[in-house]
Amino acid sequence: MSRDSVVQPRSRNLTPRVSFPRAGAGLFVLPALVYVGLVFVWPVARLLLRSVSEPDEPLENFRRILGRALYTDALIRTFEYSALATVGTLLLGYPLAYRMRVARPAVRLVLVVLVVVPFFVALLVRTFGWMVILGRTGPITQLWEALTGNEIRLLYTPLAVQIGMVAILLPFMVLPLYSVMAGIDLRVVRAARVLGASPTAAFVTVFLPLTVSGIMAGVVLVFMLGIGFFITPELLGSNRGQVFATLMVNARTNFAGSPGFTEAMAVILLGVTLVTLAISSRVVPLSRVWGGPLALPAQPLASVSAVDGQASAPRVAAGGWRRGQQLVVRAMAEHLLWPGVRLLGRLPGRVAAIPGWVLAVLALVVLDTPILVAIVISFGEDVFLSFPPDRLTLAWYGEFVETDYWIDALLTSLWIGFLTAIVTTILGVLTAIGLVRAEYPGKNAIISLLMSPLIIPQVITGIAIYYVFFPIGLVGTVHGIVLAHTLTALPIVTVIMAANLRTVDSRLEKAARVLGASAFRAFWHVTLPLLRSGIAVAAFFGFLGSFDELVFSLFLVGVEIRTLPIRLWEDLHFKLSPMLAVVSVVEIVVVVAVLLVAAALTRARQPGRGAA
């Protein structure tokens, strides 16, 4: 046998082959697509069919809803609350995000923690904090009465709803803004200052235009979430000021014998949501709303001219309504913006920065005060939740530990969260591989489908899932709740895993393949060990997504199963007591512990920290 006949086969083996994830990476998305199709798409489709299930008059339910002032007023009120909450979060969130960007690293870390921790603390806990703050024995009422001698009612008013919605939705504005601001080179602002621009002019003409994409993403996200809000309005508002989602939840019980009535309400809210989303997508691409490593490249919404340093409008095709919109924006800038900039430019830099500082501090107060109030109240002896408490005690914690009512609910939430973390992580890892390691037609549509459960109001999805799960016996079971909780946790886990997978060099797998490893062995022994800490972090966030989930649980827990958020929700409607504050603290402790573990794993994965 000649030497060439031996060498030749080996030379062919030395040709680099496509690594395991790229060979059929698109197939790894299939499990998530099947799951989303069965638990999200099919239930929503069934909801549409049930809404016209009235045999004689298929559209009768729609006429009944849209013909009554109770429902039309609630729909208008929903838009009003959502719009005001969007404006409020932008006014508070932009200065806070800006201070996070320009602060020193140590200060920035503190600010990020103060924003991120409330983001993961349960909505119900933060709403409970506002119920105490705005209540008759809360600090605001007591201070007002001490100063004026007059009583004031804040709780169960539209103002209380607005305050609560702004506080709950504020992180959804701050985080997209900060994500965009973090990518801006501050030297361009310094260059404008060097060229003679005042601090205000440099900010308005250079920095602000570069953050337009973050502003639009935050506005769309907050407004869309506000449309489906009902927990905070239900607890802080009055019966006369209900939003549409609250009426829809109540209708499921009150109109149980009317076929298709609740479903018709859900379809109306879904239609409003989709129309709003379609209009918003004309202004900001949905990929910017999703953000993160899944977002595909897109043209910036605003740019800074290298010639005159002024903000230029988005470049769109001439003609049509967009051109008119562009002309309106330019006219407003010419007659309102620039005169204001010139006026503020005459002020000293520190004086001009005072409003921004005040709004940033107010944003932190709105974000974190309810959590601190809940913690303090849990140690109070007074059953009427006066703040600050006159005496401190641990008796409520002792009662919590000795009460099966709460301990069983805590253990149930932990168990469901653990199962959800496992299911979500498996699906999230496979989905991230399919999205990061392959290119194929329709990828953007797949991303939008996987992320849509975060945008479609959960109350709609919850009702839709209920009507699919009930006939097959999944309502009132742990398996049914886990399947539902996975729906909102999966997008977050997928984004986390995609970010981690992008940091792994695929050439390492190729090198293992060249050395003779199979596709599976190369991925299992090379890539997977590098993803271990990322997988653990994703699992923790999957757990958090389930542990604090309330909306789906309201429809699926049945009679026997009770999670901790469900117990807290039921007792909040009965009476306020320090025991509810104790439950809130327990949830906060679990969330903070999970976040600390996730942060430790993230630091361990960084280079130079001993991670693989």
Side-chain angles (χ1 to χ4, degrees), residues 35 39-40 45 120 208 218 233 237 248 294 331-332 426 433 486 516 519 544:
Y35 163 77
V39 183
F40 178 70
F120 288 104
L208 181 61
M248 186 167 62
L294 298 180
M332 293 179 61
I426 294 173
I433 294 172
T486 301
L544 285 181

Side-chain angles (χ1 to χ4, degrees), residues 533-604:
S533 60
I535 292 174
V537 171
F540 280 118
F541 281 100
F543 170 84
L544 285 181
S546 171
F547 183 77
D548 292 329
E549 209 288 321
L550 173 64
V551 179
F552 289 162
S553 300
L554 284 174
F555 299 103
L556 300 175
V557 292
V559 178
E560 297 182 357
I561 296 180
R562 283 295 178 269
T563 63
L564 198 59
I566 288 293
R567 287 294 191 197
L568 185 58
W569 167 262
E570 292 172 343
D571 277 41
L572 281 173
H573 283 80
F574 179 65
K575 68 173 183 177
L576 296 181
S577 73
M579 181 59 70
L580 301 180
V582 172
V583 176
S584 300
V585 172
V586 170
E587 289 204 5
I588 294 171
V589 169
V590 173
V591 169
V592 172
V594 171
L595 290 177
L596 290 176
V597 173
L601 291 174
T602 302
R603 287 197 303 270

Side-chain angles (χ1 to χ4, degrees), residues 472-542:
I472 59 178
L474 286 178
V475 172
T477 66
V478 172
H479 300 88
I481 298 174
V482 169
L483 285 174
H485 286 189
T486 301
L487 194 60
T488 52
L490 179 59
I492 300 174
V493 171
T494 300
V495 169
I496 294 174
M497 287 311 308
N500 281 270
L501 191 59
R502 287 188 184 277
T503 63
V504 178
D505 192 344
S506 61
R507 292 176 297 180
L508 296 175
E509 285 184 46
K510 293 180 180 180
R513 296 295 307 280
V514 169
L515 295 175
S518 64
F520 179 79
R521 288 177 61 86
F523 179 81
W524 185 266
H525 292 286
V526 177
T527 302
L528 195 60
L530 297 176
L531 295 175
R532 281 182 301 187
S533 60
I535 292 174
V537 171
F540 280 118
F541 281 100

Side-chain angles (χ1 to χ4, degrees), residues 223-570:
F223 187 79
M224 296 298 297
L225 292 174
I227 290 177
F229 237 49
F230 85 93
I231 293 177
T232 299
E234 167 74 10
L235 294 176
L236 298 182
S238 63
N239 292 332
R240 292 179 295 178
Q242 292 179 321
V243 295
F244 195 79
T246 302
L247 292 179
M248 186 167 62
V249 173
N250 295 335
R252 190 172 69 93
T253 303
N254 299 333
F255 294 91
S258 180
F261 188 85
T262 304
E263 295 87 334
M265 293 188 67
V267 170
I268 291 174
L269 186 59
L270 178 61
V272 169
T273 303
L274 294 179
V275 169
T276 306
L277 186 61
I279 296 174
S280 302
S281 65
R282 301 292 299 272
V283 180
V284 54
L286 292 182
S287 60
R288 289 191 179 274
V289 179
W290 309 142
L294 298 180
L296 300 181
Q299 295 296 325
L301 295 179
S303 58
V304 179
S305 172
V307 178
D308 55 13
Q310 295 184 357
S312 61
R315 291 175 180 158
V316 297
W321 70 275
R322 289 197 175 188
R323 184 179 180 183
Q325 183 187 41
Q326 189 176 12
L327 293 175
V328 170
V329 172
R330 288 180 176 176
M332 293 179 61
E334 182 68 25
H335 297 289
L336 297 177
L337 179 61
W338 300 120
V341 171
R342 287 191 289 268
L343 179 63
L344 292 176
R346 299 173 184 173
L347 299 175
R350 293 185 177 180
V351 175
I354 290 178
W357 276 105
V358 172
L359 291 174
V361 172
L362 181 59
L364 291 176
V365 171
V366 168
L367 274 173
D368 297 288
T369 300
I371 299 176
L372 297 177
V373 167
I375 294 174
V376 174
I377 285 293
S378 69
F379 296 99
E381 191 177 49
D382 190 355
V383 296
F384 296 105
L385 301 183
S386 60
F387 187 89
D390 296 329
R391 297 180 181 180
L392 301 181
T393 180
L394 294 175
W396 299 107
Y397 285 90
E399 183 176 339
F400 174 85
V401 173
E402 296 173 357
T403 306
D404 294 338
Y405 178 88
W406 293 109
I407 295 299
D408 291 344
L410 174 61
L411 295 178
T412 301
S413 291
L414 293 174
W415 175 239
I416 292 176
F418 173 75
L419 295 178
T420 303
I422 294 177
V423 175
T424 307
T425 304
I426 294 173
L427 288 176
V429 171
L430 295 176
T431 306
I433 294 172
L435 294 178
V436 173
R437 292 295 183 87
E439 296 296 335
Y440 42 85
K443 185 176 179 180
N444 222 356
I446 292 176
I447 294 174
S448 296
L449 176 62
L450 294 175
M451 298 294 155
S452 55
L454 294 179
I455 291 296
I456 302 300
Q458 285 188 334
V459 62
I460 297 175
T461 311
I463 291 176
I465 293 175
Y466 170 81
Y467 285 120
V468 171
F469 280 13
F470 184 78
I472 59 178
L474 286 178
V475 172
T477 66
V478 172
H479 300 88
I481 298 174
V482 169
L483 285 174
H485 286 189
T486 301
L487 194 60
T488 52
L490 179 59
I492 300 174
V493 171
T494 300
V495 169
I496 294 174
M497 287 311 308
N500 281 270
L501 191 59
R502 287 188 184 277
T503 63
V504 178
D505 192 344
S506 61
R507 292 176 297 180
L508 296 175
E509 285 184 46
K510 293 180 180 180
R513 296 295 307 280
V514 169
L515 295 175
S518 64
F520 179 79
R521 288 177 61 86
F523 179 81
W524 185 266
H525 292 286
V526 177
T527 302
L528 195 60
L530 297 176
L531 295 175
R532 281 182 301 187
S533 60
I535 292 174
V537 171
F540 280 118
F541 281 100
F543 170 84
L544 285 181
S546 171
F547 183 77
D548 292 329
E549 209 288 321
L550 173 64
V551 179
F552 289 162
S553 300
L554 284 174
F555 299 103
L556 300 175
V557 292
V559 178
E560 297 182 357
I561 296 180
R562 283 295 178 269
T563 63
L564 198 59
I566 288 293
R567 287 294 191 197
L568 185 58
W569 167 262
E570 292 172 343

